[in-house]
C-alpha cells in the first residue's frame, strides 16, 4: 500500500493566491490544506501535522512572524515564508527566526511548488542530500540522517535538539567531515540548493544552530574560521 502524499499547509489570507498555490502543489503530487488567518494556521498545524508550511507574513489575527515563532516553539516543521517585501532585513529576520526558505511576491507559483517539493524530498527522505543515510557521530552529537534527528549525549542521558531543516542540513554536512573548513558558498550550494539566499544567510542559520547547541551543553560549535568559513571541530 502506497503512503499518502506529503501535506502542505498554505497559510494565506488572499483566497485567489491560496487557490493558485494549491493548484500548483497538486501538480507536484502534493496534498494541501488552507488557513485564511494566523490563528487558523496554528490550529491546523496542531490538528493536521503538515509536512511543510507555506506561511504568508501579512495575515489577520496573527501575522506570519507570530505563527513562525509559535511553530518553532512546537518543533521543526519546515517553513517557507511568503513576503511582499524584497528586503534583505526581512529575509534575514525570517531565517534568524527559523524559516527554512522564503519567496517574495509577486512570485512564480511553479517555482514555489518546486521549492516545496525540494524541501520535502530532504525532509521525508529520498533526497540526494542524505548521502546514503545512516548515523553520524562526532563528539557528544548523534545525527540520524534517516529520521532527521539530532541528539546530544551526556552523563545525564540523551537530549533531542529541535532544529529547522536548514540547521539540520548544515550540521549534518559539517559532521561528515568535521575537521574540514567549508566556505559559505559551499555550504549555501550544498545545503540550500533550491534557495536564492545570500551567502551571509549561512551565518544566520549557523548562529542559531550554535545557540541551540550551547543550550544543550555543547559550546563553541560550529567553529568560525575567520576569512574562510566554518568547520565542526576546529580544535579536535
Amino acid at each position: 500500500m502506497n503512503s499518502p502524499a506529503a501535506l502542505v499547509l498554505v497559510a494565506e489570507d488572499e483566497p485567489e493566491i491560496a487557490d493558485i498555490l494549491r493548484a500548483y502543489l497538486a501538480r507536484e503530487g502534493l496534498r494541501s490544506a488552507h488557513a485564511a488567518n494566523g490563528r487558523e494556521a496554528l490550529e491546523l498545524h496542531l490538528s493536521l501535522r503538515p509536512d511543510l508550511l507555506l506561511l504568508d507574513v501579512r495575515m489577520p489575527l496573527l501575522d506570519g512572524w507570530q505563527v513562525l515563532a509559535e511553530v518553532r516553539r512546537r518543533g521543526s516543521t519546515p517553513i517557507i515564508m511568503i513576503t511582499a517585501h524584497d528586503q534583505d532585513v526581512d529575509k534575514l529576520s525570517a531565517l534568524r527566526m527559523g524559516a527554512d526558505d522564503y519567496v517574495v511576491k509577486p512570485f512564480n507559483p511553479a517555482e514555489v511548488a518546486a521549492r516545496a517539493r525540494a524541501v520535502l524530498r530532504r525532509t521525508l527522505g529520498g533526497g540526494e542530500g542524505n548521502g546514503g543515510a545512516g548515523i553520524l557521530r562526532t563528539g557528544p552529537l548523534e545525527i540520524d540522517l534517516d529520521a532527521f534527528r539530532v541528539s546530544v549525549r551526556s552523563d545525564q542521558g540523551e537530549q533531542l535538539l529541535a532544529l529547522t531543516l536548514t540547521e539540520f542540513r548544515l550540521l549534518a554536512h559539517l559532521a561528515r567531515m568535521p575537521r574540514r573548513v567549508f566556505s559559505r558558498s559551499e555550504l549555501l550550494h550544498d545545503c540550500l540548493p533550491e534557495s536564492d539566499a545570500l551567502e551571509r544567510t549561512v551565518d544566520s542559520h549557523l548562529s542559531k544552530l550554535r545557540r541551540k547547541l550551547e543550550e544543550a551543553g555543547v559550546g563553541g560549535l560550529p567553529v568560525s574560521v575567520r576569512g574562510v568559513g566554518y568547520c565542526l571541530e576546529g580544535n579536535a
Side-chain angles (χ1 to χ4, degrees):
M1 183 176 180
N2 294 330
S3 59
L7 175 64
V8 179
L9 176 58
V10 180
E12 168 61 65
D13 66 316
E14 297 185 49
E16 297 84 0
I17 294 178
D19 288 345
I20 291 171
L21 285 172
R22 296 187 70 186
Y24 276 83
L25 290 169
R27 292 184 186 182
E28 290 285 336
L30 302 171
R31 296 180 298 139
S32 65
H34 176 224
N37 59 66
R39 188 170 298 161
E40 186 180 11
L42 289 178
E43 291 172 353
L44 291 178
H45 177 259
L46 274 180
S47 62
L48 299 179
R49 298 185 179 277
D51 300 294
L52 174 69
L53 177 59
L54 288 180
L55 178 59
D56 188 26
V57 169
R58 292 189 175 183
M59 289 190 298
L61 301 185
L62 295 173
D63 64 26
W65 302 116
Q66 293 170 295
V67 175
L68 171 60
E70 176 59 26
V71 171
R72 277 294 159 262
R73 280 193 288 269
R74 295 176 180 178
S76 57
T77 304
I79 297 174
I80 299 177
M81 297 293 287
I82 302 173
T83 175
H85 301 288
D86 188 13
Q87 299 289 332
D88 286 347
V89 64
D90 291 327
K91 298 173 183 177
L92 289 171
S93 295
L95 295 170
R96 288 192 184 103
M97 291 179 66
D100 295 284
D101 201 357
Y102 53 81
V103 292
V104 179
K105 294 180 179 178
F107 51 72
N108 181 337
E111 179 187 353
V112 177
R115 288 195 187 193
R117 168 60 73 185
V119 169
L120 287 165
R121 276 200 303 268
R122 291 170 175 81
T123 307
L124 302 178
E128 62 273 23
N130 285 348
I135 301 291
L136 294 175
R137 294 184 178 88
T138 177
L141 299 176
E142 181 173 286
I143 304 167
D144 187 330
L145 301 173
D146 291 321
F148 286 81
R149 178 178 178 271
V150 177
S151 59
V152 176
R153 302 184 308 278
S154 68
D155 293 340
Q156 285 71 45
E158 182 182 65
Q159 178 179 349
L160 294 179
L161 297 184
L163 303 184
T164 67
L165 174 61
T166 299
E167 291 163 0
F168 180 90
R169 288 186 203 166
L170 289 165
L171 179 60
H173 195 72
L174 292 170
R176 287 188 175 96
M177 290 180 280
R179 298 188 185 183
R180 178 186 164 184
V181 179
F182 291 89
S183 69
R184 289 171 178 82
S185 62
E186 286 178 313
L187 292 171
L188 185 64
H189 177 269
D190 294 336
C191 301
L192 290 86
E194 73 279 356
S195 173
D196 59 359
L198 303 174
E199 285 187 14
R200 67 175 176 270
T201 62
V202 171
D203 297 333
S204 175
H205 285 297
L206 288 175
S207 176
K208 187 157 187 176
L209 172 61
R210 185 182 290 116
R211 286 198 298 272
K212 291 181 179 181
L213 289 170
E214 287 174 349
E215 291 170 358
V218 182
L221 300 179
V223 177
S224 175
V225 180
R226 186 176 180 83
V228 183
Y230 293 90
C231 63
L232 193 60
E233 296 182 357
N235 297 319

